[in-house]
Amino acid sequence: MTRTLSILGATGSIGASTLDLIRRNRGQWRVVALTANGNAAELARLAREFGAEVAVVADEAALPALREALAGSETEAAGGAQALVEAAARPADVTLAAIVGCAGLAPTMAAIKQGGTIALANKEALVSAGEVMTAAVTKHGATLLPVDSEHNAIFQCLAGNDSAEVRCITLTASGGPFREWPMEQIAAATPAQAVKHPNWDMGAKISVDSATMMNKGLELIEAFHLFPVGLERLRILVHPQSVVHSMVEYRDGSTLAQLGPSDMRVPIASVLAWPQRMDTPCAPLDLAAIGTLRFEAPDELRFPATRLAREAAQSGGSAPAVLNAANEIAVAAFLAGRIGFTHIAAQVERSLANPLPPPPAALEEVLMVDREARARAEELLEKL
Ligand code: NDP
């Protein structure tokens, strides 16, 4: 049976991994919407290849280039924030939410309102909107499936079990490229060094988040919303090899773990085929070759981001959205060479020290908190 699919953020790393799987299973999928920010040429190439109904660039300035590149094809071209939301609102059995940052929130919410399956990679949207997003999922009868490898692992380890029986959930973390670096060396880390992840090939923003460990902090908040066992039952454990993607320990002392290659096509395949399974081209794990699995406790002195995220989750309300917005601004400033690596977490901490806005109760309020927190984070950067 053919199923319909939309990919928000089709030109990114997750988009490419997803389309690789679709390419190998062409007869089973019909593509509705593909979106990008400004990369019109790549978006048009993908839209033609997959015969998408509509292709949307969020950046309206890229629309003329998209129209030109799609001339003569069956695909409609559109541009701008509203067009992105409208494309996400077109009925699709599965919507892969893979835009980077809170920019993905409004289109993801539009997809949720259709009541289909949302395959969520865009963790920043859930971190910022938290209860607003999970309430919308319940209200509209949508199904939220986690693509993030750790959450996908947890989802698989929880299958068939009652979450009331869970003693704790452990998110594993590679520790990033600076795991073994001393403080002084970390302070001097460059963007080129930060985006060079030891195990995963990902977009620039999440790679920097992995280097600061903010990625694990965002994932802690993501897990808090996806698996409501309470913050005190969520742990982080550094596992440099990224073979064990996360674990669930039950009250009888059994721990279930999900293992797999460091290739996002594995968790993406698991949500595309859910509740069944599908083939992937990934090389199977060779545990005899790996030999030993290593684990260590996280170091929150060198990598304070996980502490900041835990505190934001504990505070609740608007704190996670402020944390996320401040981090997005700081990471962009770091990548642009405006601030040093350790300033990223320091800037986030300063943003959270400001009086926080009231808890957002609806999408518009989350977007307002996000906008204001970005403006405030920019002001703090200017002062720095
Ligand atoms: P990339 O940077 O590779 O791709 C981001 C995608 O979002 C691109 O299609 C980009 O379009 C689009 N985009 C960027 N900014 C905007 C905007 N303002 N409005 C609309 N679209 C925009 O990111 P990744 O694929 O690495 O990550 C995507 C999401 O998935 C992130 O939330 C990340 O945390 C999460 N994730 C990623 C993993 C990975 O392995 N990469 C693993 C787990 C989670 P354009 O190409 O035109 O710029």
Side-chain angles (χ1 to χ4, degrees):
M1 205 178 74
T2 308
R3 288 199 294 157
T4 51
L5 171 75
S6 288
I7 305 181
L8 312 175
T11 50
S13 158
I14 291 287
S17 295
T18 307
L19 287 169
D20 179 73
L21 293 171
I22 300 303
R23 195 175 280 121
R24 293 165 195 273
N25 297 278
R26 286 300 282 270
Q28 295 168 27
W29 295 93
R30 190 167 62 73
V31 174
V32 178
L34 295 180
T35 81
N37 188 28
N39 192 348
E42 177 63 3
L43 181 64
R45 191 187 69 72
L46 295 170
R48 280 181 183 275
E49 180 187 348
F50 291 94
E53 268 176 30
V54 60
V56 185
V57 276
D59 179 359
E60 228 163 338
L63 181 56
L66 181 66
R67 282 212 175 104
E68 195 179 324
L70 284 174
S73 78
E74 298 278 292
T75 305
E76 284 169 53
Q82 187 52 32
L84 181 60
V85 167
E86 284 166 12
R90 292 194 183 201
D93 296 321
V94 179
T95 300
L96 198 288
I99 290 174
V100 61
C102 195
L105 175 57
T108 302
M109 290 290 282
I112 289 171
K113 283 190 187 152
Q114 298 311 306
T117 295
I118 311 299
L120 185 78
N122 180 201
K123 63 191 87 185
E124 298 92 344
L126 180 57
V127 167
S128 302
E131 291 81 6
V132 171
M133 185 185 283
T134 50
V137 168
T138 307
K139 179 175 171 195
H140 299 286
T143 304
L144 192 59
L145 298 179
V147 168
D148 221 346
S149 58
E150 295 75 3
H151 305 75
N152 186 267
I154 295 162
F155 180 73
Q156 295 194 45
C157 295
L158 285 171
N161 289 284
D162 184 345
S163 56
E165 312 275 19
V166 171
R167 186 183 284 164
C168 72
I169 291 177
T170 302
L171 293 155
T172 53
S174 71
F178 309 144
R179 181 177 58 88
E180 294 180 300
W181 289 23
M183 201 65 196
E184 318 75 66
Q185 203 183 344
I186 293 175
T190 65
Q193 290 168 323
V195 297
K196 217 167 169 301
H197 195 277
N199 306 339
W200 300 91
D201 183 12
M202 311 182 286
K205 195 262 176 182
I206 183 174
S207 298
V208 175
D209 283 346
S210 297
T212 58
M213 293 279 286
M214 183 57 90
N215 183 47
K216 214 48 54 181
L218 298 175
E219 288 179 3
L220 189 79
I221 302 174
E222 186 184 5
F224 174 69
H225 293 295
L226 289 174
F227 314 113
V229 296
L231 199 55
E232 65 294 344
R233 289 178 197 234
L234 298 175
R235 314 257 158 90
I236 295 171
L237 181 66
V238 175
H239 168 48
Q241 296 142 301
S242 301
V243 171
V244 176
H245 296 300
S246 278
M247 316 177 223
V248 176
E249 183 182 329
Y250 290 92
R251 68 191 178 104
D252 60 3
S254 299
T255 297
L256 302 191
Q258 187 264 351
L259 285 69
S262 314
D263 188 321
M264 285 306 293
R265 288 176 297 182
V266 176
I268 294 168
S270 125
V271 300
L272 288 179
W274 184 83
Q276 283 150 10
R277 298 276 175 178
M278 64 187 273
D279 291 337
T280 69
C282 307
L285 269 189
D286 183 349
L287 286 174
I290 292 167
T292 311
L293 294 176
R294 282 177 290 130
F295 300 95
E296 57 197 63
D299 176 353
E300 291 193 338
L301 285 178
R302 283 181 308 142
F303 302 102
T306 47
R307 170 180 60 78
L308 297 175
R310 194 179 321 102
E311 288 169 0
Q314 263 152 3
S315 304
S318 59
V322 170
L323 169 111
N324 178 68
N327 183 58
E328 286 194 35
I329 294 295
V331 170
F334 169 70
L335 285 170
R338 290 172 64 200
I339 59 171
F341 183 78
T342 43
H343 293 139
I344 300 174
Q347 286 293 99
V348 173
E349 185 148 29
R350 288 175 69 192
S351 285
L352 286 166
N354 287 318
L356 296 175
L363 172 62
E364 271 317 312
E365 291 174 21
V366 180
L367 295 175
M368 172 93 80
V369 169
D370 177 68
R371 269 195 303 275
E372 284 174 2
R374 279 166 198 274
R376 189 84 187 97
E378 277 293 355
E379 276 169 30
L380 288 172
L381 273 182
E382 292 303 325
K383 284 190 193 148
L384 189 78

